[in-house]
Amino acid sequence: RKEVEQDPGPFNVPEGATVAFNCTYSNSASQSFFWYRQDCRKEPKLLMSVYSSGNEDGRFTAQLNRASQYISLLIRDSKLSDSATYLCVVNAGGTSYGKLTFGQGTILTVHP
Amino acid sequence: NAGVTQTPKFQVLKTGQSMTLQCAQDMNHEYMSWYRQDPGMGLRLIHYSVGAGITDQGEVPNGYNVSRSTTEDFPLRLLSAAPSQTSVYFCASSYSTQRGYNEQFFGPGTRLTVL
């Protein structure tokens, strides 16, 4: 089993749609969780951290379920500019705080 | 601040050649790391460093060496290039807080092809 697994996608949605991505992780000691966004042929950039209580940033909502070892990202009112690859990222925890494990990514295409 | 810089942006090598990928950051981050990204594989950690003089192996360290003589620089050396090392290489830096290490800042990447 991969340490971090994401929906394979790709997701093709019209502008204005709501889309949700899911991610599961295998290491129950994981401490920190993130969603990164990566545009084509560019470096990943942090979209948002994921907190235990869930958090929202504009049209983006992230949820964490530690019991099920599950993370989600919800995008409301999709824009053309949301088209990108979304990476679920988990921190190994323990003494390996800096060792991030990346999911393979989910491709989102928003069309007019 | 320039953030994280990487050179070169593109490189073509022949099998057996060696080279060094450069990475530098000007944010005084103690943590730096190297990843490779292959289609369908996500980013995989090659080596990382938690401070000057300290390095450790990641998930896929074979065929690569690193050193960290200063806080700013973290070069990645390919000892004897192989076609399997054709990939996009990203360097990243981060800083620690009471909650652990936070956001990693990535460089623009080096696209390496080994013939």
Side-chain angles (χ1 to χ4, degrees), chain B residues 27-108:
Chain B
M27 298 174 282
N28 201 33
H29 288 170
E30 68 264 39
Y31 182 86
M32 296 186 74
S33 53
W34 276 101
Y35 296 87
R36 60 177 289 173
Q37 185 173 34
D38 303 294
M41 298 289 291
L43 278 82
R44 291 182 292 170
L45 183 65
I46 304 171
H47 285 284
Y48 67 100
S49 169
V50 298
I54 306 169
T55 63
D56 204 349
Q57 296 182 350
E59 180 186 355
V60 288
N62 292 341
Y64 308 95
N65 274 356
V66 292
S67 60
R68 184 95 179 270
S69 56
T70 67
T71 299
E72 294 77 20
D73 300 297
F74 190 44
L76 177 72
R77 183 166 179 81
L78 278 69
L79 308 172
S80 177
S84 60
Q85 293 179 305
T86 294
S87 188
V88 181
Y89 292 85
F90 289 104
C91 178
S93 72
S94 183
Y95 59 96
S96 63
T97 67
Q98 289 183 341
R99 296 182 59 186
Y101 287 92
N102 283 320
E103 174 185 3
Q104 292 211 5
F105 295 82
F106 285 83

Side-chain angles (χ1 to χ4, degrees), chain A residues 23-25 33 50-54 62-72:
Chain A
C23 173
T24 58
Y25 61 96
F33 310 89
V50 186
Y51 302 124
S52 296
S53 55
Q63 295 283 346
L64 168 64
N65 184 322
R66 285 190 184 272
S68 301
Q69 296 180 202
Y70 170 97
I71 306 158
S72 66

Side-chain angles (χ1 to χ4, degrees), chain A residues 1-7 21-35 50 52 63-73 88-92:
Chain A
R1 180 184 175 187
K2 291 182 180 178
E3 288 191 50
V4 178
E5 292 202 69
Q6 296 184 236
D7 280 350
F21 304 141
N22 302 317
C23 173
T24 58
Y25 61 96
S26 61
N27 185 348
S28 59
S30 298
Q31 299 290 329
S32 307
F33 310 89
F34 309 90
W35 284 100
V50 186
S52 296
Q63 295 283 346
L64 168 64
N65 184 322
R66 285 190 184 272
S68 301
Q69 296 180 202
Y70 170 97
I71 306 158
S72 66
L73 176 68
C88 175
V89 185
V90 174
N91 179 299

